[in-house]
């Protein structure tokens, strides 16, 4: 089983993934945690490019889309191997990040044809004003107008693809409980 958490920068994804992993561990579930961009050479190049002030421009985005796809394909082997061993895979971002951030549906689908689609996607939804106040000014995507567009695209795609949308503006514990409930249902657990 491959479960992905998505959300705009500052949605609290990393904190919630940490809490989710602790809870899964307490439940005795064997988990592989992965994240995109990864630590592969492509992932390292991506992180460097994200610092560039032009990162939101079209040609930069197209280049990033190709790099994200390359980085993701390599990750698929790791995910498939873990699934074969019966592990639950929890991913910080996946193919859908490219669909919303790089935003050219058909082309993004084509270059990601080797990327597995998750069995469950949780979208941590938050208004961009709150999200940006939580960011540390790390990269060029942490810009309010850009995040407003990204959030809209996330909500559109969530509707089409049946993501589970979690209100990420609620307190830490409430968001964690909401995530737990969705994951438990998917895994057929009682909580
Ligand atoms: P993020 O999860 O925010 O990493 P970190 O916790 O290290 O800041 O991801 C980095 C950025 O990469 C984020 O702004 C979203 C962007 N991104 C894309 O634009 N396309 C993609 O396909 C992926 C996976 C991420």
């Amino acid at each position: 089983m491959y479960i992905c958490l998505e959300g705009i920068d500052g949605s609290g994804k990393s904190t919630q993934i940490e809490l989710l992993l602790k809870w899964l561990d307490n439940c005795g579930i064997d988990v592989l945690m992965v994240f995109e961009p990864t630590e592969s050479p492509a992932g390292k190049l991506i992180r460097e490019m994200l610092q560039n002030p032009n990162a939101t421009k079209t040609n930069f985005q197209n280049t990033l889309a190709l790099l994200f796809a390359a980085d993701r394909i390599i990750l698929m082997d790791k995910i498939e191997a873990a699934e074969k061993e019966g592990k639950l895979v929890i991913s910080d971002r996946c193919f859908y990040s490219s669909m919303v951030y790089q935003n050219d549906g058909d082309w993004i689908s084509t270059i990601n044809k080797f990327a597995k689609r998750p069995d469950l996607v949780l979208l941590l939804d938050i208004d961009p004003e709150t999200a940006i106040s939580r960011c540390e000014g790390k990269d060029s995507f942490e810009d309010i107008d850009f995040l407003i567009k990204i959030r809209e695209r996330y909500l559109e795609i969530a509707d089409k693809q049946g993501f589970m949308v979690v209100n990420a503006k609620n307190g830490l514990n409430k968001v964690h409980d909401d995530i737990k409930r969705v994951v438990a249902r998917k895994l057929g657990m009682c909580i």
Side-chain angles (χ1 to χ4, degrees):
M1 172 102 48
Y2 171 28
I3 296 180
C4 173
L5 276 86
E6 287 281 355
I8 61 174
D9 304 80
S11 59
K13 213 166 24 67
S14 310
T15 310
Q16 287 299 333
I17 287 177
E18 236 175 80
L19 293 174
L20 175 64
L21 293 178
K22 270 192 203 138
W23 173 68
L24 289 166
D25 188 44
N26 283 339
C27 296
I29 296 175
D30 204 359
V31 177
L32 171 73
M33 193 263 166
V34 295
F35 50 89
E36 295 188 23
T38 73
E39 282 174 337
S40 75
K44 285 188 184 132
L45 183 54
I46 290 169
R47 288 189 192 279
E48 205 182 299
M49 288 182 70
L50 287 174
Q51 309 286 325
N52 192 300
N54 291 319
T56 57
K57 303 247 165 79
T58 308
N59 281 338
F60 232 95
Q61 285 285 6
N62 291 340
T63 307
L64 279 167
L66 292 164
L67 288 170
F68 276 118
D71 185 41
R72 186 169 295 126
I73 293 170
I74 298 170
L75 180 64
M76 291 304 122
D77 287 342
K78 211 174 154 186
I79 292 180
E80 274 159 24
E83 284 188 300
K84 270 197 198 123
E85 288 171 20
K87 287 187 185 161
L88 169 65
V89 179
I90 300 287
S91 184
D92 185 339
R93 300 194 179 279
C94 62
F95 156 74
Y96 292 111
S97 280
S98 285
M99 288 295 275
V100 297
Y101 280 82
Q102 279 69 49
N103 188 36
D104 179 346
D106 290 344
W107 183 60
I108 298 293
S109 290
T110 304
I111 60 176
N112 281 281
K113 79 170 194 173
F114 300 113
K116 207 172 142 54
R117 303 323 189 228
D119 301 296
L120 171 68
V121 180
L122 287 112
L123 172 62
L124 300 197
D125 179 52
I126 194 160
D127 62 281
E129 290 79 11
T130 307
I132 212 133
S133 70
R134 296 174 173 180
C135 288
E136 296 149 26
K138 283 180 301 186
D139 60 49
S140 302
F141 286 178
E142 290 160 9
D143 163 86
I144 189 85
D145 294 330
F146 187 69
L147 287 189
I148 289 171
K149 270 192 264 164
I150 298 297
R151 184 200 193 187
E152 274 169 19
R153 287 185 207 140
Y154 260 132
L155 290 172
E156 258 170 50
I157 221 167
D159 196 40
K160 281 194 206 137
Q161 301 290 337
F163 295 175
M164 296 305 301
V165 181
V166 173
N167 182 351
K169 214 180 163 174
N170 289 328
L172 195 85
N173 291 333
K174 166 84 173 101
V175 178
H176 177 51
D177 285 347
D178 289 346
I179 293 174
K180 265 191 337 198
R181 201 170 316 115
V182 174
V183 172
R185 198 185 316 135
K186 186 75 185 173
L187 299 178
M189 296 158 66
C190 297
I191 54 167

